[in-house]
Amino acid sequence: MTSFPTRILGDLAVPLAGLILLALYPSQQAFLAQIAITAILVLSLDLVVGFAGLATLGHAAMFGAGAYAAGLYALHVWSEPLTGLIAGALAGAVVAGATALMLMRAHGLTFLMMTVAISQVLYEIVSKARDVTGGDDGLFGFTMQPVLGVWEFDFFGKLAFWYSLAVLWIVFVLLRRLMVTPFGQTVRAIRDDAGRVGSLGGRVYRHRVVVYTLSGGIAGLAGALSAQTVQVVGLSSLSVTYSAEILVMLVLGGTGRLWGALVGTLVFTVIHHYAASIDPVRWMLFIGLILVVIVLFLPGGLTRGIALIHAWLTGRRAP
Amino acid sequence: MTALLEVRNLTKSFGGLKVTNHVDLTLEPGARMALIGPNGAGKTTLVNLITGALAASGGSVRLMGEDVSALPEPVRAARGLIRTFQVTRLFGSMTVAENLRIGAIHRQRRSYAILRRTAVEQALDEAVARVLAQLRLTDRADTPVARLAYGEQRLVELGIALVMEPRVLLLDEPAAGVPQSESHIIMDAIDDLPEDLGVVFIEHDMDLVFRFATEIVVLVSGAVICTGTPSEIAANEEVRRVYFGEAAH
Ligand SMILES: Nc1ncnc2c1ncn2[C@@H]1O[C@H](COP(=O)(O)OP(=O)(O)OP(=O)(O)O)[C@@H](O)[C@H]1O
Ligand SMILES: [Mg+2]
């Protein structure tokens, strides 16, 4: 059990990091909002990959579903943002829940291939339904009402930054809590040895469906935030390429420790930002090299590295 | 009184190989049944069939009078049919206390609890602390199981089962791999179990078998060749020939 001050500090880390980044890059708020939204998505991915131990290449399907749902909701129903977030989260959860009923019967490579297949089916559907989704052109033309009727969305992304940071904070704090509940511990136990949990009376399939649905809901929430702050939804939000990219972020930061999702997203996006402006063609090569080094020499990702350094400095053994 | 566990005509084939051959067993409350037999006799397979980890080819399993043959493994476990594994299966990323806690969570039906409620946490902590103390693992509570010696890992393996408060406990070589100096902790813990519980334990060490068993079942090539009290088994010609003859070389 971590001590009380450590826990509070952990809870405050997200707003602190947000403020520091804001001080460092005061004119880049739209970019910082993008990082926060991606971090929510990668956190939701960590729930599936890191905590449930299920490697997926289809996670963007839920993000995209949430983004399109929030866009359509704003366009046709109501352009109020908070209910839009709920619409996005529900869409993500429905896509995840419905597909989980099939997915969680599969294992290993079959599971991975099914996540790709489901993603591509959804991509095709959205791409063909031009009348509704805008197809290749994307979904646009919606504007958002002020958040809570007070804060207007602006061209510079000022509101987008605070809005996304607030949602990221809430998601992070809630997930940290969830991990130490009996449910969270059961999910981890299933990752370690599903058969053993079954021998204790645990229903592995049901827990996996629940955790996948929950994760889909959070991914959908991130999608909705993206739709509302950028006010365009593109097909790429649903793509397997994007799923792979967020998986790279997670592995970079370290799976199964929530922090990893935050660190990985930040490092990846910042490298992307700079490297792509220096060399827009070969920046992916650079990311690839870093990833190879991490996978070979630091399988727990950057946060594992930080934990090792911390343990070394304090003279304790790393957890 | 109905038997805790009644196995009738249980049969299992892997391809052409009959690994479990029309096995009958009856376990009464309070029984400490040793299941013995040479390597490959089908002891572990029998445990897997009883718990539902493997589907039987034929026969039935009754738990406290109820036919559970068609029920999946988790449902049988939830009704108090609990086993341990011959090769330790712990939750490798967790500490000793966390491992036991997974058992407690299932015993207390909290595996869907998404809130940390004080009363629930206390009940879980108490259950874990009780078993930790019983197995003399209290000062190991926060040690990751991956760092334990194998003998201590065997204790945790048993602890996970104990925290489940089983009605029927199936132990697959609980003391295997445990140094002699520590095997008594395991056998003492088994001895301390509530009276009315039924225990089946697979064991190769004949000292432990004759010390703790109230009943011995001898399994050879998937079939029960003999059942009886320790003294009956010790005197049985066939057992001496088939089992002890083989084990002695
Ligand atoms: N999944 C399986 N597929 C095919 N054959 C199997 C399988 N599991 C076990 N067997 C075979 O069934 C027989 C019984 O195995 P089992 O593990 O039940 O024996 P055991 O009595 O527990 O032996 P030991 O004392 O070595 O633990 C062996 O011949 C084994 O090779
Ligand atoms: Mg065996």
Side-chain angles (χ1 to χ4, degrees), chain A residues 260-276:
Chain A
L262 301 184
V263 171
T265 307
L266 185 64
V267 169
F268 181 98
T269 327
V270 168
I271 290 177
H272 181 176
H273 194 67
Y274 285 109

Side-chain angles (χ1 to χ4, degrees), chain B residues 40 42-45 86 172-173 202 204:
Chain B
K43 304 180 294 294
T44 299
T45 303
Q86 180 171 358
D172 198 348
E173 303 195 24
I202 298 173
H204 284 293

Side-chain angles (χ1 to χ4, degrees), chain A residues 1 178 180-183 185-186 188-189 191-193 195-203 206-207 317-318, chain B residues 73-75 77 83 85 89 91-94 101-102 105-106 110-114 116 121 147 157 160 164:
Chain A
M1 240 358 34
L178 182 71
V180 293
T181 61
F183 176 78
Q185 288 166 329
T186 304
R188 270 179 60 202
R191 174 198 64 193
D192 282 3
D193 189 340
R196 189 68 165 109
V197 174
S199 80
L200 300 174
R203 311 308 296 260
R206 289 183 203 171
H207 278 85
R317 282 219 256 178
Chain B
E73 181 186 27
V75 177
R83 58 92 57 91
F85 291 85
R89 285 176 72 173
F91 302 112
S93 72
M94 301 186 186
R101 194 181 176 78
I102 299 303
I105 286 169
H106 286 93
R110 298 293 181 190
S111 73
Y112 295 99
I114 57 164
R116 254 175 96 89
E121 293 298 311
R147 286 215 197 109
E157 172 80 29
I160 294 175
M164 294 301 296

Side-chain angles (χ1 to χ4, degrees), chain A residues 266-287:
Chain A
L266 185 64
V267 169
F268 181 98
T269 327
V270 168
I271 290 177
H272 181 176
H273 194 67
Y274 285 109
S277 62
I278 296 168
D279 188 341
V281 184
R282 273 168 294 198
W283 75 274
M284 217 34 207
L285 184 70
F286 184 59
I287 287 274

Side-chain angles (χ1 to χ4, degrees), chain B residues 20-25 35-36 41 46 216-228 238:
Chain B
T20 305
N21 198 350
H22 301 283
V23 168
D24 290 334
L25 281 182
L35 182 60
I36 66 173
L46 182 56
I216 298 177
V217 171
V218 187
L219 199 69
V220 176
S221 306
V224 173
I225 61 161
C226 176
T227 307
E238 195 185 0

